[in-house]
């Protein structure tokens, strides 16, 4: 379980989210940061200035902020560029999906046995699942992670999870066998108490998964009879997004 602290520090959370944005998007402007974090431009500028001071960011001649030395050389390379493009291509479909289902929508990619949340659009309802940007969770417990794992061959899955106890590994492989033909996965309180999710894969023109979309719902509001309509809306958004991912690299 990964529950939000009872007394979160907003300024610290914004600084950490900003680090995730630098890592995943590669290039940021003050206006982008202010809009995404919902803060004033002056506050965004001060946050970025502190990251520059501590070498987590650098500023170029165009007043754009880039990942600094402490984020490592990989943070601004082609991988970061690909993640930024994936996010840009999929975001319109995410916004439309959130408007339809009125629940939080997430974009994630798999990294080995984990998934990283690249983007979130929060539900407009009073009770909602919060922003997951930057969060890293076990792939075999997250809905989108399960779908992405289900596309892997059995020998690769066995190698990835060779350290899992035998019973857990057998159970996981059985669940992935069920997910594979139906094309979606559920996570009912599996990563966070009180949160349920449904996820499905995003594929490029070669049919290779490049990420996953998920809908996160407070468990108090999720019932099995909602699944068909949620799945219809999720699949519609994937259909909207995938034409933009035709040549997207794996």
């Amino acid at each position: 379980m990964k529950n939000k602290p009872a007394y979160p520090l907003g300024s610290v959370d914004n600084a950490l989210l900003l680090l995730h944005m630098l890592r995943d998007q590669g290039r940021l402007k003050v206006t982008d940061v202010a809009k995404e974090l919902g803060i004033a431009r002056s506050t965004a500028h001060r946050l970025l200035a502190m990251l520059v001071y501590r070498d987590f960011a650098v500023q170029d001649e165009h007043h754009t902020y880039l990942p600094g030395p402490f984020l490592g050389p990989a943070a601004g390379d082609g991988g970061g560029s690909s993640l930024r493009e994936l996010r840009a291509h999929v975001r319109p479909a995410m916004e439309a999906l959130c408007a339809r289902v009125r629940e939080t929508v997430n974009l994630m990619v798999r990294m080995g046995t984990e998934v990283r949340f690249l983007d979130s659009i929060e539900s407009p309802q009073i009770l909602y699942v919060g922003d997951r940007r930057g969060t890293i969770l076990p792939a075999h417990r997250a809905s989108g992670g399960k779908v992405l794992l289900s596309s892997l061959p059995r020998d690769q899955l066995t190698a990835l999870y060779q350290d899992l106890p035998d019973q857990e590994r057998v159970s996981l492989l059985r669940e992935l066998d069920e997910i594979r033909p139906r094309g979606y996965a559920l996570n009912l309180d599996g990563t966070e108490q009180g949160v349920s999710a449904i996820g499905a894969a995003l594929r490029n023109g070669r049919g290779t998964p490049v990420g996953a979309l998920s809908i996160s719902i407070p468990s108090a509001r999720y019932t099995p009879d909602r699944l068909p309509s949620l799945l219809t809306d999720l699949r519609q958004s994937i259909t909207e997004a995938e034409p933009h991912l035709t040549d997207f690299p794996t």
Side-chain angles (χ1 to χ4, degrees):
M1 299 295 182
K2 192 171 186 179
N3 298 319
K4 192 171 184 178
Y7 302 101
L9 298 174
S11 59
V12 175
D13 194 34
N14 281 336
L16 295 175
L17 281 172
L18 185 47
L19 289 174
H20 288 304
M21 290 167 64
L22 277 168
R23 179 193 62 190
D24 294 338
Q25 299 179 40
R27 292 176 174 271
L28 296 174
K29 290 186 176 295
V30 172
T31 51
D32 300 329
V33 173
K35 181 179 178 181
E36 290 220 20
L37 298 183
I39 57 178
R41 282 172 53 97
S42 58
T43 303
H45 186 271
R46 289 196 298 271
L47 283 171
L48 286 161
M50 284 304 301
L51 293 187
V52 170
Y53 176 66
R54 294 296 183 185
D55 292 325
F56 286 98
V58 293
Q59 189 179 24
D60 66 13
E61 66 275 15
H62 304 295
H63 304 290
T64 297
Y65 291 85
L66 310 172
F70 276 13
L71 287 182
D77 66 7
S81 175
S82 294
L83 294 179
R84 184 168 66 250
E85 290 177 13
L86 177 62
R87 184 175 178 274
H89 288 321
V90 177
R91 189 161 239 269
M94 292 176 64
E95 291 172 343
L97 177 57
C98 182
R100 287 196 299 270
V101 301
R102 293 177 56 80
E103 302 289 0
T104 298
V105 176
N106 307 292
L107 169 65
M108 68 192 78
V109 293
R110 185 181 65 85
M111 307 175 299
T113 59
E114 298 176 319
V115 285
R116 181 199 300 175
F117 286 67
L118 293 184
D119 202 3
S120 284
I121 299 179
E122 292 184 337
S123 163
Q125 302 195 65
I126 294 175
L127 176 64
Y128 67 95
V129 178
D131 192 323
R132 290 295 184 268
R133 280 175 297 176
T135 299
I136 294 176
L137 294 175
H140 70 290
R141 297 193 183 279
S143 60
K146 293 178 187 179
V147 168
L148 295 174
L149 287 172
S150 72
S151 69
L152 299 178
R154 178 62 69 94
D155 58 343
Q156 191 172 343
L157 287 169
T158 302
L160 273 175
Y161 289 101
Q162 59 184 330
D163 294 331
L164 268 186
D166 289 345
Q167 187 172 352
E168 285 188 47
R169 186 170 60 253
V170 169
S171 177
L172 172 62
L173 294 175
R174 184 183 303 116
E175 182 179 12
L176 296 179
D177 285 342
E178 295 171 355
I179 291 168
R180 195 171 295 113
R182 75 185 186 212
Y184 72 90
L186 296 173
N187 167 16
L188 306 179
D189 300 301
T191 53
E192 186 172 343
Q193 188 174 4
V195 175
S196 296
I198 173 174
L202 289 158
R203 299 176 184 272
N204 61 19
R206 298 178 296 281
T208 304
V210 296
L213 281 183
S214 71
I215 303 171
S216 296
I217 310 161
S219 294
R221 195 159 59 230
Y222 175 78
T223 54
D225 62 295
R226 286 195 69 186
L227 179 58
S229 63
L230 290 170
L231 186 57
T232 296
D233 285 316
L234 179 59
R235 285 173 169 161
Q236 178 181 336
S237 293
I238 288 172
T239 299
E240 293 166 357
E242 286 186 335
H244 303 286
L245 305 176
T246 300
D247 299 318
F248 201 81
T250 56

